[in-house]
Amino acid sequence: MNFEDYNTLLVQSIGNKIGSTAPVITPSASFGYKDALQAENIFAGVEKLPLYARVGNPTNAKLESIVTKIENGFSSIATSSGMGAISMVLSAILGANDEVLCIGGFFGGTYTLVGETLKRFGVKSSFCQVDDFKHIEKKLNSNIKIVLLESVGNPGLRLPDIKKIADLCRTYETILVIDNTATPLLIQPLDMGADIVVHSSTKNMSGHSASLGGVAVFREVNAQSDKLLNPKYQDLHGIVEKAKKAAFVAICKKRALRDIGMSANAFGSFLTLLGLETLGLRVERINKSVASIVRVLEEKFPKDIVVNHPSLSKSEDFEIYKEFFSDGCGPIFTIDCKTQERAFRFADSLKLATLTANIGDNRTLALHMKSTIYRDFDEKSRQFLGITDGLIRVSVGLENPNDIINDFLGASHV
Ligand SMILES: *Cc1c(COP(=O)(O)O)cnc(C)c1O
């Protein structure tokens, strides 16, 4: 699908043709059943009606159906935040002594979820660079249960070879989870071989910075020959047998959402749906702006300020960028000012960009990384994630790209 197709799909499917043209908000926490038999059938999953809002709500269901379409998936679960989606998936599949392999750069919350929080529950993990295939194959060979990566490492901007990693995960029958927060519509990880896609809908999907949310999207499960039938997933086999094609949703609902409750709320999902209507327009414009902005800044910045983006031919991931990200790799680029002192001067001289810890907003955003999101990280972790002393992350918005360029050029001369 191209952006034009998404523009049609999104505005035509989010609202309603008859009655309320905007999406309907159903804020009810519980739902009355007609009689005892209907109650039994709803709990048994025979009758598909709302049971209780912790495990599903009609407004969330609308959001889930739209995100399933744009990711070419089979089904989705909306969650309270992007971290909610990631923790739902990981806690539903992993237990004590299971291991997850994390490839490439990660959002700070994901890094600490795996490295600190899940560790307290006995989940083991290792991290490696996007191209460390020696480590990747060694780990896949040792019966790990999940491979986790971000489509575009944030903020290091390394691009994993998703196709190659997905092929390895198919060979070794290991679940591949991809965080596609930075690149909705730009790539479809499920089509490339991922099993589960997670999003922070707080970012590009809503765009307006008014709604915290997340979504996990699942592929269809083949109950006869799925990788989930590998003996290492023994504790999931009962659910696969019962839920068949919908096994991933059942696994996440029965082993995480029901018991931990990272559920989305109807009003939040409504706000996300309003943002989603214009996702195609915004993603196309912002990715065009990013490509032209980084080209001009690379040419015009003073020599000691470096702009990083995979679309620049000097980038070590330029080939992967051209092959898989023909329409762009999301709203982010970075500026390395070398020292924290220079980066602070740069950030404080920006007039247009908002200094905040968000990405994928309609507005252009900027933030010094080391002193904020990564301040609690040790030097080794920061080095692994590409967080240098003077690194500023920029998320490009909808403004006139010339205004954005002028803002950054102005700050570079201070
Ligand atoms: C922001 C972000 C998250 C976490 O999402 P929240 O909605 O803030 O919980 C996860 N992954 C990536 C890549 C993000 O940018």
Side-chain angles (χ1 to χ4, degrees):
M1 254 201 263
N2 60 32
F3 291 117
E4 295 300 349
D5 296 326
Y6 283 120
N7 289 332
T8 303
L9 172 81
L10 289 166
V11 293
Q12 286 289 319
S13 53
I14 287 176
N16 305 288
K17 279 234 146 53
I18 298 166
S20 162
T21 44
V24 176
I25 313 175
T26 307
S28 194
S30 64
F31 303 89
Y33 319 124
K34 190 174 73 194
D35 51 27
L37 179 64
Q38 188 185 51
E40 183 184 23
N41 284 338
I42 291 171
F43 273 75
V46 180
E47 235 179 296
K48 305 279 182 221
L49 285 172
L51 185 154
Y52 181 75
R54 185 169 3 89
V55 288
N57 161 293
T59 311
N60 298 346
K62 181 79 186 211
L63 172 61
E64 289 158 356
S65 74
I66 305 291
V67 180
T68 299
K69 276 187 205 150
I70 65 179
E71 283 294 359
N72 242 341
F74 178 73
S75 54
S76 301
I77 299 176
T79 54
S80 52
S81 67
M83 286 320 302
I86 297 168
S87 56
M88 175 181 72
V89 167
L90 298 186
S91 60
I93 295 170
L94 300 170
N97 298 317
D98 290 337
E99 184 164 345
V100 51
L101 166 63
C102 302
I103 302 175
F106 284 93
F107 172 71
T110 308
Y111 194 78
T112 47
L113 169 69
V114 171
E116 293 177 19
T117 303
L118 289 177
K119 188 175 168 199
R120 283 192 282 110
F121 294 89
V123 173
K124 295 187 262 183
S125 64
S126 70
F127 288 78
C128 74
Q129 296 295 352
V130 281
D131 41 15
D132 189 355
F133 282 95
K134 212 172 123 205
H135 181 83
I136 293 170
E137 288 218 53
K138 187 178 120 215
K139 283 294 169 184
L140 283 169
N141 234 326
S142 70
N143 261 356
I144 58 166
K145 284 201 173 166
I146 289 186
V147 171
L148 176 66
L149 56 89
E150 294 186 1
S151 58
V152 180
N154 161 15
L157 293 174
R158 293 298 315 269
L159 302 177
D161 187 335
I162 295 175
K163 199 83 189 44
K164 186 168 171 185
I165 294 168
D167 288 345
L168 283 169
C169 288
R170 192 176 298 119
T171 305
Y172 289 94
E173 301 194 319
T174 303
I175 296 171
L176 174 60
V177 181
I178 297 189
D179 184 334
N180 200 25
T181 298
T183 43
L185 309 188
L186 294 163
I187 58 163
Q188 274 67 35
L190 296 177
D191 290 347
M192 299 167 90
D195 301 287
I196 301 176
V197 169
V198 290
H199 278 279
S200 165
S201 60
T202 318
K203 316 289 170 57
N204 303 276
M205 281 194 181
S206 83
H208 44 54
S209 188
S211 178
L212 188 74
V215 189
V217 194
F218 313 98
R219 65 163 173 83
E220 184 176 321
V221 167
N222 181 333
Q224 269 75 51
S225 63
D226 206 271
K227 64 166 78 157
L228 279 178
L229 298 174
N230 184 294
K232 70 185 171 188
Y233 299 118
Q234 185 77 45
D235 56 339
L236 305 177
H237 289 178
I239 298 182
V240 174
E241 211 170 287
K242 270 209 201 114
K244 301 198 169 65
K245 286 180 183 178
F248 273 124
V249 178
I251 288 166
C252 286
K253 285 203 172 175
K254 286 181 193 296
R255 291 169 55 107
L257 191 72
R258 182 191 67 190
D259 303 345
I260 309 177
M262 57 285 279
S263 324
N265 75 81
F267 189 63
S269 293
F270 167 77
L271 290 174
T272 303
L273 282 163
L274 296 187
L276 266 181
E277 288 197 343
T278 56
L279 182 66
L281 288 173
R282 291 184 287 108
V283 166
E284 182 174 21
R285 174 174 171 89
I286 286 173
N287 280 274
K288 275 198 184 127
S289 294
V290 170
S292 63
I293 290 167
V294 296
R295 241 184 293 117
V296 176
L297 293 185
E298 188 187 38
E299 193 193 311
K300 298 199 174 162
F301 265 163
K303 286 290 155 268
D304 56 340
I305 297 187
V306 176
V307 53
N308 299 306
H309 191 262
S311 69
L312 299 171
S313 58
K314 67 174 184 193
S315 160
E316 49 192 334
D317 296 317
F318 183 55
E319 291 305 319
I320 294 184
Y321 180 85
K322 280 192 300 184
E323 187 174 352
F324 297 115
F325 296 89
S326 52
D327 293 314
C329 66
I332 301 173
F333 71 90
T334 60
I335 295 168
D336 195 342
C337 302
K338 297 289 173 338
T339 64
Q340 174 159 329
E341 185 269 325
R342 182 84 191 267
F344 271 38
R345 249 193 300 141
F346 189 105
D348 288 342
S349 308
L350 293 169
K351 294 187 171 66
L352 175 145
T354 304
L355 302 185
T356 185
N358 191 14
I359 60 164
D361 197 285
N362 295 342
R363 289 149 284 263
T364 293
L365 318 174
L367 194 66
H368 179 247
M369 291 285 100
K370 186 180 168 183
S371 61
T372 58
I373 296 174
Y374 297 94
R375 62 173 300 114
D376 291 340
F377 285 54
D378 58 34
E379 196 45 48
K380 198 167 144 250
S381 304
R382 276 201 292 256
Q383 209 171 6
F384 171 77
L385 294 167
I387 314 299
T388 50
D389 289 350
L391 194 74
I392 290 176
R393 181 184 69 191
V394 180
S395 176
V396 171
L398 294 171
E399 303 91 342
N400 179 343
N402 292 330
D403 292 337
I404 301 172
I405 288 169
N406 288 336
D407 196 35
F408 286 102
L409 283 181
S412 75
H413 293 299
V414 175

